[in-house]
mmCIF file of all heavy atoms in Angstrom:
data_model
loop_
_atom_site.group_PDB
_atom_site.id
_atom_site.type_symbol
_atom_site.label_atom_id
_atom_site.label_comp_id
_atom_site.label_asym_id
_atom_site.label_seq_id
_atom_site.Cartn_x
_atom_site.Cartn_y
_atom_site.Cartn_z
ATOM 1 N N TYR A 1 86.932 96.979 115.323
ATOM 2 C CA TYR A 1 87.438 98.170 116.024
ATOM 3 C C TYR A 1 87.716 97.837 117.489
ATOM 4 O O TYR A 1 87.179 96.874 118.039
ATOM 5 C CB TYR A 1 86.423 99.320 115.916
ATOM 6 C CG TYR A 1 86.288 99.788 114.479
ATOM 7 C CD1 TYR A 1 85.406 99.149 113.615
ATOM 8 C CD2 TYR A 1 87.081 100.814 113.979
ATOM 9 C CE1 TYR A 1 85.307 99.539 112.289
ATOM 10 C CE2 TYR A 1 86.991 101.204 112.659
ATOM 11 C CZ TYR A 1 86.103 100.563 111.821
ATOM 12 O OH TYR A 1 86.027 100.940 110.491
ATOM 13 N N ALA A 2 88.540 98.643 118.108
ATOM 14 C CA ALA A 2 88.967 98.370 119.479
ATOM 15 C C ALA A 2 87.811 98.492 120.464
ATOM 16 O O ALA A 2 87.728 97.731 121.430
ATOM 17 C CB ALA A 2 90.096 99.319 119.875
ATOM 18 N N THR A 3 86.913 99.443 120.232
ATOM 19 C CA THR A 3 85.829 99.692 121.173
ATOM 20 C C THR A 3 84.500 99.808 120.444
ATOM 21 O O THR A 3 84.442 100.058 119.239
ATOM 22 C CB THR A 3 86.055 100.995 121.956
ATOM 23 O OG1 THR A 3 85.947 102.113 121.051
ATOM 24 C CG2 THR A 3 87.428 101.005 122.633
ATOM 25 N N ARG A 4 83.450 99.671 121.211
ATOM 26 C CA ARG A 4 82.096 99.835 120.671
ATOM 27 C C ARG A 4 81.893 101.255 120.150
ATOM 28 O O ARG A 4 81.272 101.465 119.099
ATOM 29 C CB ARG A 4 81.097 99.500 121.769
ATOM 30 C CG ARG A 4 79.645 99.640 121.383
ATOM 31 C CD ARG A 4 78.748 99.135 122.501
ATOM 32 N NE ARG A 4 77.347 99.350 122.180
ATOM 33 C CZ ARG A 4 76.370 98.541 122.537
ATOM 34 N NH1 ARG A 4 76.646 97.460 123.246
ATOM 35 N NH2 ARG A 4 75.112 98.805 122.220
ATOM 36 N N ASP A 5 82.422 102.238 120.862
ATOM 37 C CA ASP A 5 82.272 103.624 120.441
ATOM 38 C C ASP A 5 82.969 103.867 119.100
ATOM 39 O O ASP A 5 82.404 104.506 118.204
ATOM 40 C CB ASP A 5 82.835 104.564 121.505
ATOM 41 C CG ASP A 5 82.543 106.022 121.191
ATOM 42 O OD1 ASP A 5 81.393 106.452 121.418
ATOM 43 O OD2 ASP A 5 83.456 106.719 120.696
ATOM 44 N N GLU A 6 84.191 103.359 118.955
ATOM 45 C CA GLU A 6 84.901 103.535 117.693
ATOM 46 C C GLU A 6 84.172 102.838 116.558
ATOM 47 O O GLU A 6 84.121 103.354 115.430
ATOM 48 C CB GLU A 6 86.332 103.014 117.815
ATOM 49 C CG GLU A 6 87.228 103.878 118.687
ATOM 50 C CD GLU A 6 88.658 103.391 118.707
ATOM 51 O OE1 GLU A 6 88.972 102.398 118.017
ATOM 52 O OE2 GLU A 6 89.479 104.005 119.402
ATOM 53 N N MET A 7 83.648 101.663 116.837
ATOM 54 C CA MET A 7 82.876 100.942 115.831
ATOM 55 C C MET A 7 81.685 101.767 115.356
ATOM 56 O O MET A 7 81.457 101.929 114.151
ATOM 57 C CB MET A 7 82.404 99.617 116.421
ATOM 58 C CG MET A 7 81.478 98.809 115.538
ATOM 59 S SD MET A 7 80.254 97.857 116.493
ATOM 60 C CE MET A 7 79.351 99.173 117.310
ATOM 61 N N GLY A 8 80.891 102.302 116.299
ATOM 62 C CA GLY A 8 79.718 103.080 115.943
ATOM 63 C C GLY A 8 80.070 104.346 115.191
ATOM 64 O O GLY A 8 79.374 104.730 114.246
ATOM 65 N N ARG A 9 81.159 104.987 115.604
ATOM 66 C CA ARG A 9 81.566 106.231 114.935
ATOM 67 C C ARG A 9 82.042 105.965 113.514
ATOM 68 O O ARG A 9 81.712 106.703 112.591
ATOM 69 C CB ARG A 9 82.661 106.918 115.757
ATOM 70 C CG ARG A 9 83.133 108.242 115.192
ATOM 71 C CD ARG A 9 83.661 109.162 116.278
ATOM 72 N NE ARG A 9 84.705 108.566 117.085
ATOM 73 C CZ ARG A 9 86.014 108.719 116.840
ATOM 74 N NH1 ARG A 9 86.424 109.420 115.803
ATOM 75 N NH2 ARG A 9 86.910 108.175 117.644
ATOM 76 N N ALA A 10 82.808 104.883 113.338
ATOM 77 C CA ALA A 10 83.291 104.549 112.000
ATOM 78 C C ALA A 10 82.127 104.218 111.070
ATOM 79 O O ALA A 10 82.081 104.680 109.915
ATOM 80 C CB ALA A 10 84.261 103.377 112.075
ATOM 81 N N ALA A 11 81.181 103.428 111.554
ATOM 82 C CA ALA A 11 80.028 103.071 110.730
ATOM 83 C C ALA A 11 79.215 104.316 110.377
ATOM 84 O O ALA A 11 78.759 104.469 109.228
ATOM 85 C CB ALA A 11 79.154 102.061 111.459
ATOM 86 N N ALA A 12 79.038 105.217 111.343
ATOM 87 C CA ALA A 12 78.281 106.431 111.082
ATOM 88 C C ALA A 12 78.985 107.323 110.072
ATOM 89 O O ALA A 12 78.343 107.919 109.193
ATOM 90 C CB ALA A 12 78.055 107.193 112.393
ATOM 91 N N GLU A 13 80.295 107.440 110.176
ATOM 92 C CA GLU A 13 81.052 108.249 109.220
ATOM 93 C C GLU A 13 80.876 107.715 107.799
ATOM 94 O O GLU A 13 80.673 108.473 106.848
ATOM 95 C CB GLU A 13 82.534 108.252 109.593
ATOM 96 C CG GLU A 13 82.899 109.164 110.748
ATOM 97 C CD GLU A 13 83.009 110.625 110.317
ATOM 98 O OE1 GLU A 13 82.691 110.939 109.164
ATOM 99 O OE2 GLU A 13 83.411 111.451 111.156
ATOM 100 N N GLU A 14 80.937 106.400 107.657
ATOM 101 C CA GLU A 14 80.847 105.829 106.318
ATOM 102 C C GLU A 14 79.418 105.871 105.796
ATOM 103 O O GLU A 14 79.199 106.105 104.595
ATOM 104 C CB GLU A 14 81.417 104.417 106.324
ATOM 105 C CG GLU A 14 82.915 104.432 106.632
ATOM 106 C CD GLU A 14 83.595 103.097 106.415
ATOM 107 O OE1 GLU A 14 82.946 102.167 105.896
ATOM 108 O OE2 GLU A 14 84.781 102.999 106.756
ATOM 109 N N ALA A 15 78.434 105.665 106.651
ATOM 110 C CA ALA A 15 77.046 105.802 106.224
ATOM 111 C C ALA A 15 76.731 107.248 105.847
ATOM 112 O O ALA A 15 76.027 107.514 104.861
ATOM 113 C CB ALA A 15 76.101 105.320 107.319
ATOM 114 N N ALA A 16 77.261 108.196 106.616
ATOM 115 C CA ALA A 16 77.055 109.616 106.299
ATOM 116 C C ALA A 16 77.684 109.966 104.956
ATOM 117 O O ALA A 16 77.100 110.712 104.157
ATOM 118 C CB ALA A 16 77.638 110.489 107.409
ATOM 119 N N ALA A 17 78.876 109.431 104.702
ATOM 120 C CA ALA A 17 79.530 109.678 103.417
ATOM 121 C C ALA A 17 78.702 109.119 102.267
ATOM 122 O O ALA A 17 78.582 109.737 101.205
ATOM 123 C CB ALA A 17 80.923 109.066 103.417
ATOM 124 N N ALA A 18 78.100 107.947 102.477
ATOM 125 C CA ALA A 18 77.247 107.355 101.450
ATOM 126 C C ALA A 18 76.012 108.218 101.210
ATOM 127 O O ALA A 18 75.593 108.424 100.061
ATOM 128 C CB ALA A 18 76.846 105.943 101.854
ATOM 129 N N LEU A 19 75.421 108.727 102.292
ATOM 130 C CA LEU A 19 74.266 109.616 102.151
ATOM 131 C C LEU A 19 74.633 110.869 101.365
ATOM 132 O O LEU A 19 73.909 111.275 100.440
ATOM 133 C CB LEU A 19 73.744 109.997 103.536
ATOM 134 C CG LEU A 19 72.698 109.089 104.167
ATOM 135 C CD1 LEU A 19 72.522 109.435 105.640
ATOM 136 C CD2 LEU A 19 71.375 109.216 103.440
ATOM 137 N N ARG A 20 75.740 111.496 101.722
ATOM 138 C CA ARG A 20 76.150 112.715 101.012
ATOM 139 C C ARG A 20 76.398 112.425 99.536
ATOM 140 O O ARG A 20 76.024 113.217 98.653
ATOM 141 C CB ARG A 20 77.389 113.309 101.668
ATOM 142 C CG ARG A 20 77.120 113.961 103.028
ATOM 143 C CD ARG A 20 78.316 114.744 103.532
ATOM 144 N NE ARG A 20 79.399 113.861 103.925
ATOM 145 C CZ ARG A 20 79.616 113.437 105.175
ATOM 146 N NH1 ARG A 20 78.797 113.821 106.155
ATOM 147 N NH2 ARG A 20 80.632 112.653 105.451
ATOM 148 N N SER A 21 77.049 111.303 99.252
ATOM 149 C CA SER A 21 77.356 110.946 97.867
ATOM 150 C C SER A 21 76.080 110.733 97.057
ATOM 151 O O SER A 21 75.954 111.217 95.925
ATOM 152 C CB SER A 21 78.217 109.690 97.849
ATOM 153 O OG SER A 21 78.460 109.257 96.527
ATOM 154 N N LYS A 22 75.130 110.021 97.629
ATOM 155 C CA LYS A 22 73.900 109.743 96.898
ATOM 156 C C LYS A 22 73.077 111.014 96.712
ATOM 157 O O LYS A 22 72.465 111.221 95.656
ATOM 158 C CB LYS A 22 73.090 108.666 97.616
ATOM 159 C CG LYS A 22 73.760 107.293 97.566
ATOM 160 C CD LYS A 22 72.919 106.224 98.216
ATOM 161 C CE LYS A 22 73.669 104.891 98.270
ATOM 162 N NZ LYS A 22 74.118 104.417 96.962
ATOM 163 N N LEU A 23 73.047 111.872 97.735
ATOM 164 C CA LEU A 23 72.308 113.125 97.618
ATOM 165 C C LEU A 23 72.930 114.063 96.596
ATOM 166 O O LEU A 23 72.245 114.934 96.041
ATOM 167 C CB LEU A 23 72.214 113.806 98.980
ATOM 168 C CG LEU A 23 71.250 113.156 99.973
ATOM 169 C CD1 LEU A 23 71.464 113.718 101.371
ATOM 170 C CD2 LEU A 23 69.795 113.345 99.527
ATOM 171 N N ALA A 24 74.216 113.901 96.328
ATOM 172 C CA ALA A 24 74.872 114.710 95.288
ATOM 173 C C ALA A 24 74.492 114.246 93.891
ATOM 174 O O ALA A 24 74.642 114.996 92.925
ATOM 175 C CB ALA A 24 76.387 114.647 95.462
ATOM 176 N N MET A 25 73.986 113.004 93.793
ATOM 177 C CA MET A 25 73.698 112.429 92.475
ATOM 178 C C MET A 25 72.208 112.252 92.190
ATOM 179 O O MET A 25 71.822 112.029 91.048
ATOM 180 C CB MET A 25 74.395 111.073 92.342
ATOM 181 C CG MET A 25 75.915 111.150 92.380
ATOM 182 S SD MET A 25 76.694 109.537 92.088
ATOM 183 C CE MET A 25 76.237 108.659 93.597
ATOM 184 N N GLN A 26 71.373 112.321 93.244
ATOM 185 C CA GLN A 26 69.939 112.108 93.053
ATOM 186 C C GLN A 26 69.157 113.025 93.969
ATOM 187 O O GLN A 26 69.688 113.545 94.951
ATOM 188 C CB GLN A 26 69.595 110.641 93.305
ATOM 189 C CG GLN A 26 69.964 110.125 94.682
ATOM 190 C CD GLN A 26 70.004 108.601 94.772
ATOM 191 O OE1 GLN A 26 70.784 107.952 94.079
ATOM 192 N NE2 GLN A 26 69.159 108.036 95.635
ATOM 193 N N ASP A 27 67.874 113.215 93.633
ATOM 194 C CA ASP A 27 67.067 114.187 94.366
ATOM 195 C C ASP A 27 66.749 113.737 95.782
ATOM 196 O O ASP A 27 66.681 114.558 96.706
ATOM 197 C CB ASP A 27 65.761 114.456 93.615
ATOM 198 C CG ASP A 27 65.984 115.216 92.317
ATOM 199 O OD1 ASP A 27 67.016 115.921 92.212
ATOM 200 O OD2 ASP A 27 65.134 115.100 91.415
ATOM 201 N N HIS A 28 66.511 112.443 95.953
ATOM 202 C CA HIS A 28 66.106 111.924 97.257
ATOM 203 C C HIS A 28 66.830 110.623 97.553
ATOM 204 O O HIS A 28 67.244 109.913 96.640
ATOM 205 C CB HIS A 28 64.583 111.691 97.306
ATOM 206 C CG HIS A 28 63.782 112.935 97.150
ATOM 207 N ND1 HIS A 28 63.370 113.407 95.914
ATOM 208 C CD2 HIS A 28 63.314 113.822 98.061
ATOM 209 C CE1 HIS A 28 62.678 114.534 96.086
ATOM 210 N NE2 HIS A 28 62.632 114.794 97.372
#
């Protein structure tokens, strides 16, 4: 990514999406 901020935001967005996906399929 062009900047450190963009890098952190992109990683957080994708980690958050993974969390939401897993929570939709399992209890914890």
